[in-house]
Amino acid sequence: MRYILRLFGYTRPYRGRLTLAAVSVVLSSIFMMLSPVMVRYAINFGLDPVYNDEGRVTGLNGDEPLLIFGALTIVLLALGRGLAQFGQQFLAEAVGQGVAYDLRNQVYNNLQRLSYAYHDKVQTGQIMSRVTQDVEGIRMFFSMGLLRTVNITLVLAIAIGGMFLISWKLALVSIVTLPFMIYRSFVMARQIRPIWMAIQQNQGELTQVAEEGLSGIRVVKAFSREDYESKKFREAAQKQADLSYLSSTTMAKHAPLMMGLGQLQIAITVGVGAWFISQGHIRGSDLLTFVLWLNLLQMPVRMTGFAITFFSRAMTAGERIFELIDAQSEVQEKPDAVALTDVRGHVRFENVSFAYDNVSPVLQDVNIDAPPGKVVALLGPTGSGKSTVVNLIPRFYDVTQGRITVDGIDVRDLKLESLRKNIGIVQQDVFLFVGTIRDNIAYGRPDASQEEIERAAKAARIHDFIMSLPYGYDEWVGERGVTLSGGQKQRIAIARTLLLNPRILIFDDSTASVDAQTEFLIQQALQELMEGRTTFVIAQRLRTVMRADEIIVLDRGRIVQRGTHEELLAQEGLYRRIYELELKDQEEALGRFMPELQRTPVPAANSPEPRREAPRSKRTADALRPDLRATGGGS
């Protein structure tokens, strides 16, 4: 119940509407249960039957005005009940939608604040299911379940109280099965709750399978795995159908029993009531009122199970939703954190160690000194820790030992927003949002002018391509940039980063997806842009390595070599082996193709570039292809 009580806290901004909805429920219940009373009144006073000693009606002393008054009152009660039910449903839905809106926003906002470590462990499909299906269950609880429970309680209280006022003996007979019916409703709720939990859990798995299959549709088609993915989705969908069927059959087993008990109760009441009439204990109008009340009670009593189901579903959904709301980021901003101002960009790693699970170290005793203007290239085999090094600078993860400083201040003492706004990152796996090219370039600076956006695009050597599109900067980008090539997406990502004008740059192999000529153009632009900025580059291209002020070679989380290209070539070690395996081939390829690239005019940042990228021959591609087994970007 703690989840239900906590959910009630979200109704605080809507307590006015909730109060009016509760008033509507009370009025609706009173109007509904007063109708049988007015029927009894109309019979007793409007018709005024005359009974003999045997209790039989021998005549009528009717009062026509009272009969008309009773009939009109019944009509007015029906109208009032209709208006009250409208207010109940309208206001309850307003409260439910408001609570759902607040919950979704709170969940999403918290997910945005959580660190990489959290998102590394969760499944997107499960989160999507909770934000949609579980929040919908909570909405239905407030819009239907909560007030319906109040309605059931009031109806039962009014009917049972009225029965005891008319005839306590017949009342005892009339309610004899009610406790059992309510008990069966609780039994059904207890049985249905774990089924609902399984349905909601499987809904997340179903969403995950669908999201993964659709996101990777190109891989699916490339490997002709459509049947496999369809089978995987079909199995998840079948499980969902089976669970839903089990839920329906569980409720269906109870429904006939509840209906049968209700009709049996009416039959018993009519039989015993007829005997009471014959004995002169009650009148015929009293029995009719009892029967009308029992008929009105049928639906509320049967709905007790559904109301309990709403409670059960809300408890299950609340538990899953609050897991997301209560999730804490492993990267926390200190209450006294300071903003990073007057940034020079001096980055230092001081005896830094890091482990994702506090068991298997990813980095050990890493020391790096990168003053402003220095270009640091990170090189090493797959899993050596290159990406982890650069992910620690903006505090996507926190170091487990040592510290990282920017301009002498520990990054853990800085406000996260001010730290990250001064770090520009171009990742290897580029993500573009659905929207225009302008929106994607200006993502970090939505207030940037068109001139600033174009200047960044020209610097990234993508402006000319954009202008060749039918709608230019207003061209719509498909989901994840599917309408663009890898090199085009990479250059848009570079433009997005350059627009921030950060003092610290991080390039995670940002030229890996472009051809030789495009790489040459980008490198020419970046050479000037890196001037005066601290730059970290995860390198797989020879040109990047040769331009670095310091090359840091990582192996199994440790720095095994450091120095310039020439210094490291003169040493025995991992760098020379990597060079011999792949960088030397790139050097030879560059020697063959550099004259051609040099003959290609290199446009300035503010001048148009050729409209078409130079085609890359298979020989060039093979020569420049990095050996991913040795220097893959993933770490």
Side-chain angles (χ1 to χ4, degrees), residues 1 30 66 69 108 181 190 210 222 224 232 261 302 305 328 345 373 399 406 488 516 550 552 568 591 634:
M1 287 298 294
I30 291 174
L66 287 177
F69 172 76
Y108 192 78
M181 293 172 71
R190 190 170 64 243
S224 299
K232 192 163 63 172
L261 285 173
R302 288 202 300 269
Q328 295 294 316
V399 301
V406 174
Q488 290 158 357
E550 183 179 27
I552 293 178
L568 294 176

Side-chain angles (χ1 to χ4, degrees), residues 23 55 147 226 255 307 323 451 522 551 570 628:
V23 172
L147 294 179
E226 293 92 341
E323 281 182 9
E451 182 182 357
I522 292 176
I551 301 168
L628 295 179

Side-chain angles (χ1 to χ4, degrees), residues 346-350 403-411 414:
H346 191 165
V347 179
R348 287 176 60 93
F349 283 66
E350 300 176 2
R403 68 171 191 157
I404 300 172
T405 65
V406 174
D407 295 342
I409 307 173
D410 194 321
V411 293
L414 295 170

Side-chain angles (χ1 to χ4, degrees), residues 445-458:
R445 280 189 56 201
D447 58 339
S449 66
Q450 181 65 23
E451 182 182 357
E452 291 173 316
I453 292 171
E454 291 185 9
R455 189 183 302 122
K458 289 174 181 176

Side-chain angles (χ1 to χ4, degrees), residues 56-57 94 97 153 155 159 181 196 199 206 229 290 342 385 424 453 460 464 495 507 522 562 596 603 620 624:
R56 296 180 179 178
V57 177
Q97 292 289 355
T153 304
V155 166
M181 293 172 71
W196 269 113
I199 288 174
L206 183 65
E229 291 297 328
F290 268 71
D342 300 323
I453 292 171
D464 192 66
F507 294 100
I522 292 176
R562 65 199 317 158
E596 179 185 343
T620 306
L624 296 180

Side-chain angles (χ1 to χ4, degrees), residues 241-259:
D242 292 342
L243 287 169
S244 299
Y245 178 76
L246 179 61
S247 170
S248 298
T249 52
T250 302
M251 290 189 289
K253 289 176 183 177
H254 289 268
L257 175 63
M258 302 285 280
M259 187 175 294

